[in-house]
């Protein structure tokens, strides 16, 4: 082969590589065929030490990845829409985003977070929306429970999801409807056996220590995400430390007299001034939850994501990335939160103004952060015990599930700690 011909081939190769330097995963409503799996692709790239960028408010919060044949192949396998960009095209997009006139920002994603899901052994994936969507998006996670938490196993993780747990030791307040159901009897028996094994006389005492370990994980710099009953029961357990709020059918002895006056709201992460629900047969923990105070018909049940400045408030902007600002509502034991009972330092990310309720809130505790998301399953409006699992292949563009995955990716964007 002549030198001239070799040079010509080399120039073609250089030209080709210059034309295709980046892959864009568009996240707008019309272009992306599988929003949920796009997060999985981005996580996969980070896990393989590729750098990625999150383009806040650009086409629904798109992801910019380096161009590599294995990334293209993975997108094709998983059914994720992508666009191949030249250096010039990518730079043009980044220039547009950096303009002071645009409410957009580029956030570098550095490292795939280590993910733990707090869930009892034997639970099915469809019992929990987060487990379901992590599995669907092919994002790896480790199930952990009380033994791992109490032995400081959380130190291995960056991100923790709390399954629909009851941290108060009242077995989810299912007593009224399900006290004679075999699954309830079995779960109560298992919880008592685990508490005894771990050296506790009561489940409520064991759960309190678990709650405090999770609190310390957040204060130390971890990110915690909770949905449904894990949100308010976690906060109540912290505030009720040292106070017996459990009735005899839960822990074998009466609750303390006038226990409401002994609740220390300063220990709660997000909520204040709430009144606990004393009746054991009542399927509620307190008046934080809006489920029974709602007057919204299903067809009008939507909540609005708040708009933040991407350049000045990148954290809430990341958590609210979506292809729509209007998200379909969904029920749960803890469907939403009374705005009047949320602490003033907590950021409301999503709300239903008609009912003065918050659906999606975020806060900081110590060096870490937490997000509470009301409701059980974003694509199962009124989830009932024993319902069939949600098939996410039918909802690959779910805005409600996207909010969960925003939280999963968020720790990847955190700045490295400053050396002092």
């Amino acid at each position: 082969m002549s030198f001239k011909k070799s040079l010509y081939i080399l120039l073609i190769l250089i030209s080709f590589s210059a034309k295709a330097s980046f892959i864009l995963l568009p996240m707008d409503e019309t272009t992306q065929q599988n929003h949920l799996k796009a997060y999985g692709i981005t996580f996969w790239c980070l896990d393989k030490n590729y750098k990625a960028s999150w383009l806040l408010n650009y086409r629904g919060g798109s992801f910019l990845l380096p161009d590599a044949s294995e990334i293209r192949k993975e997108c094709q396998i998983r059914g994720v829409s992508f666009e191949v960009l030249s250096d010039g095209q990518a730079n043009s997009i980044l220039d547009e985003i950096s303009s002071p006139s645009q409410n957009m920002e580029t956030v570098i994603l550095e490292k795939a977070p280590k993910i733990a899901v707090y869930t009892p052994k034997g639970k099915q994936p469809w019992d929990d929306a987060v487990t379901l969507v992590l599995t669907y998006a092919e994002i790896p996670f480790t199930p952990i429970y009380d033994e791992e938490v109490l032995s400081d196993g959380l130190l291995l993780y960056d991100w923790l999801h709390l399954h629909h747990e009851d941290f108060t030791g009242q077995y989810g307040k299912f007593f009224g409807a399900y006290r004679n159901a075999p699954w309830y009897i079995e779960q109560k028996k298992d919880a008592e056996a685990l508490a005894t094994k771990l050296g506790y006389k009561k489940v409520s005492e064991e759960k309190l220590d678990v709650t405090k370990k999770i609190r310390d994980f957040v204060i130390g710099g971890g990110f915690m995400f909770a949905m449904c009953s894990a949100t308010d029961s976690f906060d109540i357990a912290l505030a009720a430390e040292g106070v017996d709020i459990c009735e005899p059918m839960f822990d074998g002895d009466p609750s303390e007299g006038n226990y409401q006056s002994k609740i220390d709201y300063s220990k709660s992460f997000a909520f204040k001034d709430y009144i606990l629900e004393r009746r054991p047969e009542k399927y509620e923990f307190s008046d934080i939850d809006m489920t029974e105070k709602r007057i919204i018909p299903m067809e009008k049940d939507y909540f609005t994501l708040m708009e933040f400045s991407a350049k000045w408030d990148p954290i809430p902007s990341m958590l609210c990335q979506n292809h729509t600002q209007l998200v379909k509502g969904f029920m749960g034991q803890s469907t939403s939160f009374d705005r009047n009972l949320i602490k003033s330092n907590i950021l409301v990310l999503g709300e239903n103004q008609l009912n003065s309720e918050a659906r999606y809130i975020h806060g900081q505790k110590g060096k870490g952060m937490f997000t509470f998301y009301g409701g059980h399953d974003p694509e199962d409006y009124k989830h009932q015990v024993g319902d069939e699992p949600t098939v996410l292949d039918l909802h690959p563009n779910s805005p409600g599930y996207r909010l969960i995955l925003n939280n999963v990716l968020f720790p990847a964007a955190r700045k490295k700690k400053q050396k002092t």
Side-chain angles (χ1 to χ4, degrees), residues 55-56 58 90-107 310-311:
L55 310 182
L56 304 186
Y58 177 78
N91 287 333
S92 177
I93 290 169
L94 295 174
D95 284 345
E96 178 189 350
I97 290 170
S98 66
S99 169
S101 66
Q102 297 293 335
N103 185 20
M104 301 178 188
E105 184 61 296
T106 302
V107 173
K311 289 181 172 63

Side-chain angles (χ1 to χ4, degrees), residues 22-179:
F22 292 93
I23 289 174
L24 181 78
L25 304 186
M27 297 293 277
D28 52 321
E29 190 166 10
T30 56
T31 313
Q32 182 53 256
Q33 61 182 342
N34 198 316
H35 286 93
L36 305 185
K37 285 187 180 287
Y39 287 89
I41 291 288
T42 305
F43 191 97
W44 180 87
C45 289
L46 293 171
D47 210 31
K48 289 191 169 289
N49 297 316
Y50 287 108
K51 294 299 179 190
S53 295
W54 200 346
L55 310 182
L56 304 186
N57 294 345
Y58 177 78
R59 293 178 65 182
S62 300
F63 299 106
L64 189 64
L65 310 172
D67 184 32
S69 58
E70 64 173 345
I71 299 177
R72 292 192 195 194
K73 184 179 178 183
E74 203 65 30
C75 287
Q76 290 162 347
I77 290 169
R78 300 192 193 188
V80 173
S81 309
F82 67 96
E83 298 170 11
V84 178
L85 305 178
S86 67
D87 270 340
Q89 289 171 314
N91 287 333
S92 177
I93 290 169
L94 295 174
D95 284 345
E96 178 189 350
I97 290 170
S98 66
S99 169
S101 66
Q102 297 293 335
N103 185 20
M104 301 178 188
E105 184 61 296
T106 302
V107 173
I108 305 297
L109 302 177
E110 295 179 324
K111 187 182 178 185
K114 300 287 185 189
I115 296 173
V117 173
Y118 175 84
T119 180
K121 292 170 177 62
K123 276 283 185 181
Q124 298 298 327
W126 55 83
D127 289 328
D128 175 60
V130 175
T131 314
L132 196 68
V133 77
L134 287 173
T135 303
Y136 180 74
E138 299 177 58
I139 294 175
F141 64 92
T142 304
I144 64 168
Y145 204 49
D146 294 353
E147 289 176 278
E148 290 86 354
V149 172
L150 292 171
S151 59
D152 293 321
L154 289 178
L155 294 172
L156 301 172
Y157 304 98
D158 306 301
W159 193 92
L160 172 68
H161 166 58
L162 305 183
H163 187 276
H164 302 256
E165 185 65 57
D166 173 6
F167 291 97
T168 69
Q170 298 176 93
Y171 308 105
K173 295 296 290 284
F174 283 115
F175 178 79
Y178 296 104
R179 75 190 84 175

Side-chain angles (χ1 to χ4, degrees), residues 271-335:
F271 304 115
K272 64 175 183 178
D273 303 336
Y274 47 85
I275 305 300
L276 300 184
E277 175 53 66
R278 294 190 67 101
R279 290 168 291 179
E281 69 279 1
K282 188 77 172 169
Y283 185 56
E284 279 286 10
F285 293 103
S286 73
D287 59 348
I288 294 170
D289 176 40
M290 294 287 289
T291 301
E292 295 185 354
K293 296 182 267 186
R294 308 182 89 235
I295 49 171
I296 305 168
M298 177 179 167
E299 61 275 8
K300 293 183 180 178
D301 193 357
Y302 286 84
F303 63 95
T304 305
L305 295 176
M306 312 297 272
E307 195 167 354
F308 297 93
S309 167
K311 289 181 172 63
W312 292 101
D313 296 310
I315 290 171
S317 293
M318 271 184 267
L319 298 177
C320 288
Q321 289 303 290
N322 226 309
H323 48 282
T324 175
Q325 267 193 285
L326 207 58
V327 182
K328 190 171 58 177
F330 53 101
M331 306 285 276
Q333 181 175 13
S334 300
T335 298

Side-chain angles (χ1 to χ4, degrees), residues 346-405:
I346 301 302
L347 210 53
V348 174
L349 303 176
E351 66 174 359
N352 186 318
Q353 289 182 325
L354 291 174
N355 214 37
S356 188
E357 63 181 24
R359 295 295 309 243
Y360 183 42
I361 63 176
H362 176 74
Q364 187 167 344
K365 193 73 175 175
K367 296 178 181 177
M369 298 182 185
F370 64 93
T371 300
F372 288 166
Y373 190 15
H376 190 97
D377 185 324
E379 294 298 338
D380 183 355
Y381 184 74
K382 202 169 183 179
H383 183 84
Q384 303 288 342
V385 173
D387 277 1
E388 288 297 305
T390 297
V391 179
L392 281 178
D393 270 326
L394 302 176
H395 309 283
N397 312 106
S398 168
Y401 269 103
R402 273 199 69 178
L403 296 179
I404 297 172
L405 294 175

